[in-house]
Amino acid sequence: MTSKRDKRKSRRISTLKPTRIRLKGQAFEVCDISNDGIGIMLTDTGPPFSIGERLPEIPLPLADGTVNVQGIVSHISYTATGRLCGIHFVFDGAEYDAVMRFKNERQQKSVEKEKP
């Protein structure tokens, strides 16, 4: 039997620059992102999320402004660092390009050593 991770259509990137997005009136830390969704860390004092819940506006801050995409809460799981909420993006047009820009802007590039 294959694991849930092996069934993902696109690779998740978790080496991100510190990034927070605002949902339900509170800022949440983004812990990973892929072409299809985003993972945020939930707080004990924050608003509740439920599996299957529709999120009509997920603001993604870009260098040239903020773009809103829609999403559906796909899972809530416990990790060593806290509760993770996975949100699957629902695209309604050109939002996919905005997600690709957000992903590229937020990805922490590894520092490569210069060759002598």
Side-chain angles (χ1 to χ4, degrees):
M1 187 166 152
T2 58
S3 72
K4 193 174 200 177
R5 288 186 185 272
D6 296 334
K7 293 179 184 178
R8 288 194 173 133
K9 294 178 186 173
S10 59
R11 184 174 66 94
R12 291 220 174 256
I13 297 171
S14 56
T15 52
L16 302 173
K17 297 173 187 172
T19 303
R20 296 178 79 75
I21 61 170
R22 195 157 190 81
L23 296 171
K24 296 185 174 186
Q26 183 173 341
F28 293 93
E29 177 187 350
V30 175
C31 57
D32 62 36
I33 188 166
S34 74
N35 296 356
D36 301 317
I38 194 166
I40 59 171
M41 293 306 295
L42 299 179
T43 61
D44 292 335
T45 59
F49 289 84
S50 57
I51 296 172
E53 178 179 1
R54 291 191 172 275
L55 301 172
E57 290 187 355
I58 303 168
L60 301 179
L62 298 170
D64 60 351
T66 300
V67 173
N68 287 305
V69 297
Q70 298 178 43
I72 298 175
V73 175
S74 59
H75 71 86
I76 297 173
S77 54
Y78 290 87
T79 68
T81 57
R83 286 184 306 141
L84 173 70
C85 177
I87 302 169
H88 180 78
F89 294 132
V90 177
F91 298 114
D92 189 25
E95 295 95 350
Y96 184 81
D97 292 337
V99 168
M100 294 304 101
R101 286 192 351 245
F102 177 75
K103 190 172 105 173
N104 288 333
E105 287 178 12
R106 302 316 309 159
Q107 185 173 359
Q108 192 169 17
K109 306 292 184 196
S110 61
V111 179
E112 295 182 20
K113 293 181 181 179
E114 291 185 27
K115 294 180 181 178

